[in-house]
Amino acid sequence: MDPALGPPEAMAEKRDELTPMMRQYHDLCARYDDAIVLFQVGDFYETFCGAAERTARLLEVALTSREDSTGEYPMSGIPIDNAESYIEELLEAGYRVAVADQIEEPGESPGVVERAVTRVITPGTLTEDELLAGDDNNFVAAIARGAGTEGDTAEIALALLDVSTGDFLATSSSSCEAIADEVSRFDPAEAVVGPDAPTDLLPENCMVTPYDETAFDRDRAGAKLSAYFRNPDALLASDAEIRACGALLSYAEYVRGGAHEGERGETADKAETEGDAPDDEDHHLEYLTHLTRYDPREYLLLDAVALRSLELFEPRTVHGRDDATLVGVLDETASALGGRKLRDWLRRPLLEPDRIEARLDAVEELMGAVQTRERLHELLRDVYDLERLIGRISRERANARDLRSLRDTLAVVPEVREELADADCGRLRRLHDALDPLADVRELIDDAVVADPPIEITEGGVIAEGYDADLDDLRGTARDGKQWIDDLEERERERTGIDSLKVGYNSVHGYYIEVTNPNLESVPENYQRRQTLKNSERFVTPELKEREDEIVGAEERADEREYELFCEVRREVAAEVERVQRLAEALATLDALVSLATAAAQYDYCRPEIIERGGGADSDGRVLEIEGGRHPVVERTQESFVPNDADFTDDRRLAVITGPNMSGKSTYMRQVAQIVLLAQVGSFVPASAARLTPVDRIFTRVGASDDIAGGRSTFMVEMDELATILREADENALVLLDEVGRGTSTADGMAIAQAITEHLHDRVGATTLFATHHHPLTELADDLAAAFTLHFEVEQVDGEVVFHHEIAPGAATGSYGVEVATAAGVPDSVVDRARELVAAADADTEPGDEATDTATASSDAPAAETAAATADGGDVPTDVAAELRALDLAHLTPVEALTELDRLKRLLEE
Ligand code: ADP
Ligand code: MG
């Protein structure tokens, strides 16, 4: 906890002496001691003491002070009107914010104005539209560890909740890494952790919130879940999951705050006595209606490294354009709902061919039906964010405009349905049937709420004429009264004979009759003087006063009645939460499918053929066949892109890819993986043809990504990631290795690369693409039955390198590093000198060169030499070679691997 949070020391010492207001502040700080308490004083949210100093500095607002009988306190305030942007900054700086609103009008009751925390705002539990990205979820996670029954490893459960949309998921695994992978997939902004939760699996950008241990109690969590879902024990797989989900629900209720409105004082009264006992019924979040339990193994597994290197959501380079991502290329969604759905699909590609085909069928149909697709896209643009709307409606935070937005969305539904009326494929037909236009809800809103309501819901003008007889009466009374007054001027002029007599209104004195000084003697008896002006007098009559009271009374009661009615309508709509959510789900899915179809049409993608493993007619093995494949992201940023093929089977499963720098190796490998991934998402793919069996995991080790910030050497990171691959990959995985073994000496790097290649080939059996500058690996590939070589050829024209970006069988002939340097504009003198050195080095390593002694071969001799030595086993002492071969890399930690290497090296040097 931040030491500046919690009750200010200066106040804590003398709590009992504080003024009532400061005592209130002190107590709220004590109750919400992990947050900055924003304390409403009139039009401002104030903070005091340490918190004031902090917010003043952070938000660049003035630091003032407040003095009362008990002392002087630093103070700093932000205007309520503009609070969201300040709150956003506080969140970004890593704080939670508790908003303490005045829950009664000043003067309503004796003593200090009552205040209560109406909401706690934390990065993971945002519901404010201003603070949320529309097209992505914002998750808060909870992690709990299971007890671990006999013979069973302790389980770790992960629960994920998007408070703004109601998306609620749970999973568990006995492997910490598997849970870490799921965390990377969903990238929660915040994680609520229990007493024994492993927090080290959380990424740095995730706020860790230690939370009430008892909420993680098996029984309490179970009870909490039962309040939401009928049979949580059947829904969830383990105690750990129940504890994570139950605790997360408690937390979601807690951040909802004591009073859920802040609209009117009365709703908040209860909040005062509640304290922070979050079990109160009133905190119940009705819109959390579904909880999805899933097994990480149901989806294509992508760990943090793969998500990054395949550019799913983040550009690979820091300076990369935001749209230089897979989602950037594919996202043609029209609504926020669809945007989130598409991201969820990309995050969790499928494994089962049937499910993949169902999506592909829909994409194909929509792609072909151009008009329908375009029309659907148009219609879907008018779809509001239903999930968040119904969330707000359910939390009683929606205003009349929100209800109208819901109504406007519902109005689109029949047309969307119509477009799908002739749909062929099952998926689209089911969507058609799921599109419930909620005619009753639409009618209710149409009848009840005016077309263009004001933002405020307590000041009238919200409820439509004819909806409620009482309201119409009140409005009638007010209207009649006003009409009576409008006519009064005419009547009184006639009665008094004063032609200049005027009836007017001002906010202090109300209605009056104004008579100019020359006419004062004609004033009738029942006029009562109210105000004397320079040239005239203002009067009222008892009748006028009576009418006026009637009007004001009727208007006040009408406003109250309207608010009552509005809340009623809102509750009625809220009762339909599940139907609205089902509709939202259908619209989201449709939007995502239309988006995939649009991208496919726009970029000329093809439908991949998904082949069930073990179910193929010709062979039972794996297939990964791509004709004319392209990199979906690079081809968008490039004037022309050269398509390339790929062809992998059980007998050709490991490709060693060589070629000079910049020839296209990395691009090629990533495009192969992205095509596989897209296919499993149910998307068309950037190729002219593709056939493949789904893979269940993609591993990547692409490029030399530094982790200097994390304090680990590049080599260490590399070995760490490699260790994971070697430990966890199997024949259903797709493995990309790009320039592995660079972070150490050539000989070590070569040795590691070779050992890895052999291991992947012999024991793992994964489909592997290995780009390497270690040319001897290509020779190794010739010796391994299921390995083969690919290379990128470049041409030298007039001493300059021309890249064709065309992949071909076989190994590359040279590295062309020097030529690339020329192309890059390195001065001629440097290039010439480099050429000399290369020539000399080549001479040194001519076959048959006698100069090799083991010591140099192992440390800094060129790679070819070592490889030659290793390949025939000649110059490496047999004991060392044997030890190398026996090395079980799959069961070594990175540190052990390093130690082992170091030992072997020493053996060679002896
Ligand atoms: P390598 O990994 O061999 O060093 P890259 O894959 O990083 O090479 O490719 C270098 C650059 O070449 C890419 O940034 C891209 O601009 C271009 N490139 C790669 N492949 C292709 C291709 N198939 N068609 C057109 N340009 C390509
Ligand atoms: Mg590369």
Side-chain angles (χ1 to χ4, degrees):
M1 195 206 312
D2 193 304
L5 304 179
E9 253 171 60
M11 293 183 187
E13 285 159 11
K14 48 181 178 185
R15 178 187 177 278
D16 295 335
E17 296 159 32
L18 294 173
T19 62
M21 188 180 96
M22 291 317 251
R23 198 177 311 138
Q24 226 179 35
Y25 177 73
H26 168 275
D27 292 353
L28 286 170
C29 286
R31 192 184 296 168
Y32 294 90
D33 62 359
D34 60 353
I36 288 188
V37 173
L38 296 183
F39 190 75
Q40 185 187 1
V41 181
D43 295 334
F44 282 82
Y45 283 133
E46 303 288 0
T47 51
F48 300 97
C49 300
E53 280 157 15
R54 245 154 223 254
T55 49
R57 202 169 43 239
L58 256 167
L59 305 177
E60 295 178 23
V61 294
L63 182 66
T64 55
S65 66
R66 177 198 147 90
E67 207 177 339
D68 61 32
S69 56
T70 65
E72 189 176 345
Y73 310 101
M75 170 173 106
S76 130
I78 57 173
I80 289 184
D81 278 347
N82 204 3
E84 304 299 342
S85 64
Y86 289 111
I87 291 173
E88 185 170 11
E89 279 183 62
L90 290 174
L91 291 175
E92 263 164 28
Y95 290 100
R96 300 172 188 84
V97 176
V99 180
D101 284 305
Q102 294 176 348
I103 53 168
E104 60 177 9
E105 291 297 316
E108 202 171 289
S109 55
V112 68
V113 182
E114 282 302 340
R115 292 179 178 82
V117 169
T118 53
R119 54 196 171 133
V120 179
I121 306 174
T122 73
T125 61
L126 300 176
T127 53
E128 291 74 5
D129 265 353
E130 301 92 319
L131 304 182
L132 283 167
D135 52 13
D136 210 353
N137 279 109
N138 185 50
F139 285 110
V140 55
I143 296 175
R145 210 192 265 277
T149 45
E150 256 175 274
D152 227 10
T153 30
E155 252 209 338
I156 306 160
L158 171 71
L160 294 146
L161 174 66
D162 184 331
V163 181
S164 70
T165 62
D167 289 315
F168 194 9
L169 298 144
T171 191
S172 60
S173 168
S174 54
S175 141
C176 235
E177 274 146 23
I179 292 301
D181 291 345
E182 292 312 302
V183 169
S184 329
R185 241 204 252 270
F186 292 94
D187 196 20
E190 181 182 0
V192 180
V193 296
D196 53 359
T199 49
D200 51 342
L201 54 76
L202 294 167
E204 250 166 70
N205 62 355
C206 179
M207 177 188 257
V208 178
T209 301
Y211 186 57
D212 183 6
E213 289 189 14
T214 61
F216 284 88
D217 235 51
R218 168 67 180 77
D219 291 342
R220 246 190 85 182
K224 178 58 63 195
L225 269 168
S226 305
Y228 283 82
F229 307 103
R230 233 159 280 134
N231 194 352
D233 290 301
L235 200 62
L236 296 171
S238 64
D239 277 4
E241 286 182 12
I242 288 176
R243 290 173 53 223
C245 290
L248 194 50
L249 281 174
S250 299
Y251 184 67
E253 291 180 355
Y254 157 79
V255 296
R256 183 182 177 169
H260 36 102
E261 275 308 313
E263 283 173 8
R264 285 243 158 160
E266 61 260 41
T267 48
D269 292 349
K270 295 170 244 144
E272 263 327 86
T273 50
E274 277 166 4
D276 48 356
D279 282 329
D280 194 290
E281 280 257 300
D282 259 15
H283 297 260
H284 196 85
L285 300 158
E286 273 87 5
Y287 62 106
L288 301 188
T289 58
H290 44 273
L291 167 57
T292 310
R293 198 269 156 191
Y294 76 96
D295 188 319
R297 286 165 300 193
E298 286 169 46
Y299 298 98
L300 168 60
L301 210 59
L302 297 161
D303 57 13
V305 186
L307 285 167
R308 224 178 314 122
S309 58
L310 297 181
E311 301 152 280
L312 257 85
F313 303 109
E314 309 264 331
R316 231 163 49 88
T317 53
V318 190
H319 309 291
R321 287 168 30 195
D322 263 4
D323 57 349
T325 57
L326 215 44
V327 69
V329 171
L330 287 178
D331 188 359
E332 294 289 336
T333 55
S335 68
L337 290 175
R340 287 198 297 271
K341 179 59 78 183
L342 183 67
R343 278 164 183 75
D344 188 47
W345 285 359
L346 284 169
R347 235 189 320 261
R348 294 192 287 169
L350 303 169
L351 299 182
E352 283 167 42
D354 290 350
R355 293 179 69 191
I356 300 171
E357 296 284 5
R359 277 189 203 163
L360 286 172
D361 285 345
V363 173
E364 178 167 4
E365 190 173 331
L366 289 168
M367 189 176 156
V370 182
Q371 277 191 337
T372 304
R373 165 157 51 84
E374 286 173 356
R375 180 81 188 117
L376 282 172
H377 184 82
E378 276 307 302
L379 290 169
L380 289 165
R381 270 180 204 278
D382 292 334
V383 165
Y384 282 82
D385 194 338
L386 283 190
E387 288 174 331
R388 286 186 180 149
L389 265 183
I390 195 65
R392 271 207 298 283
I393 292 170
S394 176
R395 287 191 307 274
E396 303 191 351
R397 282 203 173 270
N399 61 24
R401 291 192 180 173
D402 291 326
L403 287 191
R404 287 304 300 193
S405 301
L406 171 59
R407 180 256 166 228
D408 291 344
T409 299
L410 297 181
V412 180
V413 177
E415 286 179 75
V416 176
R417 257 183 90 97
E418 185 57 35
E419 288 298 326
L420 290 179
D422 302 325
D424 275 332
C425 73
R427 187 72 196 248
L428 292 178
R429 288 231 60 82
R430 274 197 305 282
L431 280 179
H432 170 268
D433 298 342
L435 287 169
D436 172 3
L438 279 95
D440 48 338
V441 175
R442 180 178 159 197
E443 205 173 305
L444 170 67
I445 299 172
D446 258 338
D447 289 350
V449 182
V450 299
D452 194 7
I455 294 179
E456 290 299 328
I457 53 175
T458 52
E459 288 164 19
V462 165
I463 300 294
E465 204 73 34
Y467 179 69
D468 178 69
D470 289 350
L471 177 61
D472 289 349
D473 277 355
L474 289 168
R475 282 176 173 165
T477 308
R479 236 186 340 257
D480 291 351
K482 281 185 180 155
Q483 188 60 50
W484 184 89
I485 289 171
D486 283 351
D487 298 342
L488 182 67
E489 195 169 275
E490 199 50 45
R491 277 199 310 274
E492 291 300 292
R493 280 184 186 173
E494 247 167 61
R495 181 159 82 100
T496 60
I498 308 172
D499 284 347
S500 61
L501 178 146
K502 277 197 302 210
V503 172
Y505 177 86
N506 84 29
S507 55
V508 182
H509 298 282
Y511 289 99
Y512 55 79
I513 301 169
E514 191 173 294
V515 178
T516 51
N517 291 345
N519 293 309
L520 284 179
E521 63 245 42
S522 315
V523 162
E525 267 188 11
N526 69 334
Y527 277 29
Q528 301 166 355
R529 189 165 317 220
R530 264 299 144 87
Q531 207 183 355
T532 304
L533 304 179
K534 198 166 152 220
N535 299 318
S536 61
E537 298 275 337
R538 286 177 177 176
F539 302 90
V540 294
T541 64
E543 238 184 330
L544 177 58
K545 221 50 228 167
E546 200 178 300
R547 287 289 179 165
E548 178 176 342
D549 289 349
E550 219 172 87
I551 296 171
V552 173
E555 280 179 341
E556 262 174 24
R557 271 182 297 141
D559 289 356
E560 272 166 33
R561 179 75 189 139
E562 280 205 46
Y563 179 69
E564 248 173 62
L565 289 167
F566 176 78
C567 291
E568 242 170 58
V569 172
R570 192 168 58 184
R571 270 193 298 276
E572 263 182 71
V573 174
E576 301 302 332
V577 54
E578 290 191 49
R579 284 168 72 203
V580 175
Q581 285 172 339
R582 272 199 300 276
L583 172 65
E585 170 71 20
L587 289 169
T589 304
L590 182 62
D591 197 6
L593 290 170
V594 170
S595 173
L596 289 180
T598 307
Q602 198 164 320
Y603 305 131
D604 196 20
Y605 289 180
C606 77
R607 177 174 180 153
E609 193 183 330
I610 307 295
I611 295 176
E612 192 149 5
R613 195 158 191 166
D618 40 352
S619 95
D620 282 348
R622 88 196 66 192
V623 183
L624 172 51
E625 224 176 274
I626 298 169
E627 264 172 51
R630 285 124 48 205
H631 189 295
V633 180
V634 174
E635 78 162 338
R636 298 267 61 82
T637 55
Q638 196 105 343
E639 252 173 53
S640 65
F641 191 90
V642 181
N644 279 306
D645 300 346
D647 185 8
F648 291 81
T649 60
D650 280 350
D651 302 334
R652 277 169 59 83
R653 59 177 186 259
L654 189 150
V656 173
I657 305 169
T658 46
N661 275 336
M662 297 300 287
S663 60
K665 301 182 297 295
S666 302
T667 308
Y668 175 75
M669 298 208 298
R670 293 204 311 268
Q671 98 191 16
V672 168
Q674 284 169 330
I675 288 172
V676 171
L677 183 144
L678 285 178
Q680 292 187 228
V681 164
S683 166
F684 279 28
V685 298
S688 49
R691 290 176 74 227
L692 55 98
T693 42
V695 301
D696 60 16
R697 184 158 185 177
I698 297 179
F699 290 96
T700 58
R701 170 67 196 121
V702 179
S705 63
D706 283 25
D707 186 21
I708 292 162
R712 303 191 298 173
S713 78
T714 310
F715 183 62
M716 200 58 197
V717 177
E718 196 172 301
M719 289 303 114
D720 196 25
E721 290 172 6
L722 263 178
T724 312
I725 297 178
L726 298 180
R727 207 167 45 235
E728 296 181 18
D730 62 18
E731 55 174 13
N732 294 315
L734 172 61
V735 176
L736 308 187
L737 299 175
D738 195 347
E739 314 270 359
V740 167
R742 269 223 142 146
T744 180
S745 73
T746 311
D748 282 3
M750 178 56 216
I752 291 172
Q754 175 168 354
I756 289 167
T757 310
E758 287 172 358
H759 183 90
L760 283 168
H761 178 272
D762 300 344
R763 303 213 212 154
V764 176
T767 303
T768 307
L769 286 79
F770 193 160
T772 181
H773 57 286
H774 293 304
H775 282 262
L777 273 193
T778 59
E779 289 159 32
L780 173 68
D782 292 338
D783 294 341
L784 299 172
F788 59 105
T789 50
L790 296 171
H791 77 287
F792 281 93
E793 205 54 82
V794 294
E795 212 180 347
Q796 287 193 68
V797 181
D798 302 336
E800 297 219 347
V801 189
V802 178
F803 294 105
H804 295 301
H805 300 305
E806 238 171 53
I807 199 147
T813 47
S815 77
Y816 294 92
V818 177
E819 280 68 26
V820 172
T822 325
V826 173
D828 288 348
S829 58
V830 175
V831 173
D832 288 345
R833 173 67 184 139
R835 281 217 176 84
E836 273 174 44
L837 290 172
V838 171
D842 282 348
D844 265 358
T845 55
E846 264 339 304
D849 187 335
E850 304 289 276
T852 38
D853 84 28
T854 46
T856 50
S858 64
S859 54
D860 42 28
E865 200 175 8
T866 324
T870 317
D872 60 29
D875 288 17
V876 173
T878 37
D879 53 332
V880 176
E883 287 214 40
L884 252 176
R885 287 206 183 86
L887 258 190
D888 185 4
L889 287 180
H891 297 97
L892 287 185
T893 66
V895 174
E896 283 166 356
L898 274 181
T899 320
E900 192 59 23
L901 265 175
D902 186 54
R903 193 180 60 80
L904 288 172
K905 205 170 143 179
R906 270 174 222 282
L907 279 180
L908 289 178
E909 280 161 0
E910 268 164 13

